[in-house]
């Protein structure tokens, strides 16, 4: 497959500026640290220019090494990591950021970081507002270009706006054809917050054998995974599929030579289910 780096971008709000983020990126959740460098390097070789990691994934070092050893300058890679639940709070967040930067390769190698996210709202701890204030300061100091959140419900997002004056730039949430998060997506759209999908393929399982998706894939000569990734792109989501298998890494990127029809999009929208969530509910996870 020929390298394609013409990935669409989405605009992230960053105070008075905007930051462009590739709409299709590469995730490293559940990738072992000693596998991360090879996987990231392969993804960059294929054409991915956005890499998503997190402190809790325990693979920031491998991710940073993969970026450093790739044949693409750091400035051309959009790099995301996240503050973990136990590190939330104003001062703790700043320390956690410094630690992530060191694991990723150090200030000179990776700053400014492109995107820093709160991993979960952890409402029982009630620290996400102070965490976000620290992140805004890191952004305004030029150490990170944009800041956002993961797994936030509309009430959490609104509280950030009410208490800091800003909405986060992006909200990364569980989102796939069987759990489409319409209420969250509508709130984000109305308030200029980009939406990013984790587990965009529903962690595999029966979604990859769904007859509706399989029928669309067969008609287009694509895989079900490619159809799902294309669906995310066409409805406006940022999407970060992950794999350590070179052929699958390439397959997941090969989604720019076809389009889903309006009928396809309607058919996929009908797959949404109120009980389709795989991960924990944000209000229950601390």
């Amino acid at each position: 497959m020929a390298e394609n780096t013409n990935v669409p971008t989405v605009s992230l709000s960053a105070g008075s500026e905007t930051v462009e983020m590739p709409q299709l990126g590469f995730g490293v959740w559940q990738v072992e640290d000693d596998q991360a460098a090879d996987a990231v390097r392969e993804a960059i070789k294929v054409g991915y220019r956005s890499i998503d990691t997190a402190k809790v994934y325990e693979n920031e070092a491998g991710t940073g090494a993969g970026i450093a050893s790739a044949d693409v300058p750091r400035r051309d890679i959009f790099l995301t990591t996240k503050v973990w639940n136990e590190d939330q709070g104003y001062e703790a967040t700043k320390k956690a950021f410094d630690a992530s930067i060191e694991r990723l390769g150090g200030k000179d190698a990776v700053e400014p970081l492109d995107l820093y996210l709160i991993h979960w709202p952890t409402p029982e701890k009630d620290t996400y507002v102070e965490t976000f204030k620290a992140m805004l300061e890191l952004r305004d100091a030029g150490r990170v270009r944009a800041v956002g959140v993961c797994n936030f419900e509309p009430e959490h997002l609104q509280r950030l706006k009410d208490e800091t004056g800003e909405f986060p730039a992006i909200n990364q949430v569980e989102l796939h054809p069987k759990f489409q998060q319409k209420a969250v997506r509508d709130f984000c759209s109305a308030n200029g917050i980009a939406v990013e999908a984790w587990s965009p393929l529903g962690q595999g399982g029966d979604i990859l054998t769904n007859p509706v998706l399989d029928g669309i894939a067969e008609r287009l000569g694509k895989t079900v995974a490619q159809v799902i990734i294309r669906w995310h792109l066409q409805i406006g989501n940022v999407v970060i599929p992950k794999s350590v298998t070179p052929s699958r890494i390439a397959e997941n990127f090969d989604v720019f030579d076809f389009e889903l029809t309006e009928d396809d999009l309607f058919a996929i929208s009908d797959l949404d289910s109120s009980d389709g969530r795989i991960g924990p509910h944000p209000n229950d996870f601390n």
Side-chain angles (χ1 to χ4, degrees), residues 13-68:
S13 176
S16 61
E17 301 181 0
T18 58
V19 173
E20 295 301 313
M21 178 182 188
Q23 195 182 359
L24 175 59
F26 183 71
V28 295
W29 178 50
Q30 295 181 327
V31 177
E32 296 293 330
D33 194 48
D34 60 359
Q35 294 181 298
D38 287 344
V40 167
R41 190 164 46 247
E42 181 65 25
I44 293 170
K45 179 181 176 182
V46 165
Y48 293 88
R49 295 295 180 265
S50 178
I51 309 295
D52 178 278
T53 184
K55 183 260 179 111
V56 77
Y57 300 168
E58 298 184 343
N59 59 20
E60 287 175 313
T63 297
I67 293 171

Side-chain angles (χ1 to χ4, degrees), residues 37-245:
D38 287 344
V40 167
R41 190 164 46 247
E42 181 65 25
I44 293 170
K45 179 181 176 182
V46 165
Y48 293 88
R49 295 295 180 265
S50 178
I51 309 295
D52 178 278
T53 184
K55 183 260 179 111
V56 77
Y57 300 168
E58 298 184 343
N59 59 20
E60 287 175 313
T63 297
I67 293 171
S69 63
D71 193 22
V72 172
R74 161 69 185 99
R75 65 179 178 272
D76 293 336
I77 305 297
F78 191 98
L79 177 58
T80 301
T81 194
K82 312 175 188 76
V83 59
W84 183 236
N85 303 351
E86 65 189 18
D87 296 322
Q88 283 198 37
Y90 181 80
E91 293 296 342
T93 294
K94 291 188 173 183
K95 291 178 182 177
F97 180 84
D98 287 339
S100 282
I101 291 296
E102 285 306 307
R103 286 189 293 269
L104 287 164
K107 259 187 167 186
D108 291 343
V110 297
E111 283 198 25
L113 184 71
D114 297 287
L115 182 61
Y116 198 42
L117 304 176
I118 302 175
H119 212 142
W120 289 87
T122 62
E124 284 189 10
K125 290 186 172 69
D126 195 26
T127 51
Y128 65 83
V129 173
E130 292 305 307
T131 298
F132 193 61
K133 288 178 179 177
M135 292 165 65
L136 290 173
E137 288 190 13
L138 289 166
R139 184 199 69 192
D140 292 345
R143 300 193 64 194
V144 59
R145 298 173 67 210
V147 294
V149 298
C150 308
N151 305 300
F152 273 48
E153 294 289 292
E155 63 266 28
H156 307 136
L157 297 167
Q158 186 62 54
R159 186 179 173 200
L160 289 181
K161 170 66 171 177
D162 292 344
E163 298 195 28
T164 72
E166 288 194 37
F167 281 115
I170 193 167
N171 188 17
Q172 185 184 117
V173 295
E174 179 186 343
L175 207 165
H176 45 81
K178 290 194 173 181
F179 189 62
Q180 297 182 25
Q181 295 267 39
K182 188 175 187 303
V184 171
R185 285 166 48 214
D186 286 349
F187 183 92
C188 290
S189 177
N191 291 287
I193 305 167
V195 174
E196 184 172 15
W198 64 258
S199 284
L201 304 179
Q203 296 183 28
D206 61 354
I207 197 170
L208 296 182
T209 58
N210 179 274
V212 171
L213 295 169
D214 190 56
I216 295 170
E218 185 174 358
R219 189 191 83 240
L220 293 168
K222 292 291 182 177
T223 67
V224 170
Q226 289 171 320
V227 166
I228 294 172
I229 293 167
R230 185 70 206 183
W231 169 76
H232 281 288
L233 296 173
Q234 286 188 220
I235 68 171
N237 298 335
V238 178
V239 58
I240 46 170
K242 65 96 176 174
S243 178
V244 296
T245 306

